[in-house]
Amino acid sequence: MSDSDEGARQVAPSGRKDARRNKETLLDAAATVFVTSGVDAPVRDIAAKAGVGLGTIYRHFPTRADLIIGVYRHQVDACADAGPALLATSSPRTALGQWINLFVDFLVTKHGLAAVLQADNADFEALHAYFLDRLLPVCTELLEAAAVAGEIRPDIDAYQLMRGVGNLCIGAESDPRYDARRMAELLVAGLRRSHH
């Protein structure tokens, strides 16, 4: 093996890491632009926010649908990854409450994405399955940890809780007086184990 082969091998992993970080920066920028300007925002606005050229966006996401799906999956992943991190640094009930707040933020900001994706049913169904596959186990883990710690009732079903929170988020983006996060906090407070 030549020295140049050895050098190429050492560059590849950091190159992949840089490409992944660039893609995450792009997805974060797209999510921000989608929240403020809607999913029909010009791609040049996303490129400017991410500090990349249009070609970079189209190389990663050839169509707007690809970009929307990428943003949705990226946000689901961020919400899923937050659960274990919160559990490692807070009491289980506090971690559950913090995670539910992140989940509410995700739900309130993704309604525009969901509406667009419903036009292409197959993609939407695949994303909904991805959403459940990634988030349901995290919510279950947080609920079980809080129940084992005696901080909440042990009979809470993760799917029902997530549906309940989802229902509390409906219409939040169209009514500035409605605070979905506050409603979800009240719901989580109601999970406390009664001490009679």
Side-chain angles (χ1 to χ4, degrees):
M1 179 179 341
S2 73
D3 288 342
S4 63
D5 289 341
E6 185 65 38
R9 181 177 291 160
Q10 290 173 347
V11 169
S14 68
R16 276 195 299 272
K17 204 179 283 183
D18 286 345
R20 189 168 54 245
R21 193 173 20 226
N22 290 345
K23 190 173 180 180
E24 287 174 4
T25 299
L26 198 156
L27 289 168
D28 287 337
T32 301
V33 170
F34 286 168
V35 168
T36 57
S37 305
V39 292
D40 294 324
V43 174
R44 70 180 168 275
D45 292 357
I46 296 166
K49 179 88 175 156
V52 300
L54 286 172
T56 301
I57 292 181
Y58 289 119
R59 190 167 44 256
H60 288 291
F61 306 102
T63 68
R64 183 173 297 272
D66 293 330
L67 180 59
I68 291 168
I69 290 166
V71 166
Y72 186 97
R73 289 178 67 103
H74 180 61
Q75 290 183 321
V76 167
D77 289 343
C79 193
D81 293 345
L86 290 168
L87 202 49
T89 59
S90 302
S91 74
R93 197 177 78 67
T94 300
L96 174 65
Q98 291 170 330
W99 188 80
I100 290 293
N101 282 339
L102 293 173
F103 183 56
V104 167
D105 292 346
F106 166 75
L107 292 175
V108 169
T109 59
K110 81 141 187 75
H111 280 294
L113 298 178
V116 169
L117 292 166
Q118 284 175 357
D120 185 349
N121 226 9
D123 281 343
F124 182 74
E125 285 175 22
L127 278 178
H128 186 67
Y130 184 76
F131 169 90
L132 289 176
D133 289 347
R134 290 286 282 137
L135 298 183
L136 208 48
V138 175
C139 189
T140 299
E141 179 186 4
L142 289 162
L143 284 169
E144 286 174 357
V148 167
E151 296 176 328
I152 66 167
R153 298 168 25 184
D155 60 343
I156 311 300
D157 177 76
Y159 180 77
Q160 289 180 348
L161 177 61
M162 288 174 62
R163 278 297 299 261
V165 170
N167 288 340
L168 288 173
C169 292
I170 293 171
E173 72 276 5
S174 60
D175 182 354
R177 295 182 313 156
Y178 181 72
D179 186 349
R181 189 185 261 211
R182 175 76 181 125
M183 293 296 104
E185 286 171 358
L186 291 171
L187 176 62
V188 171
L191 302 179
R192 277 197 196 118
R193 181 178 213 113
S194 63
H195 294 291
H196 341 290

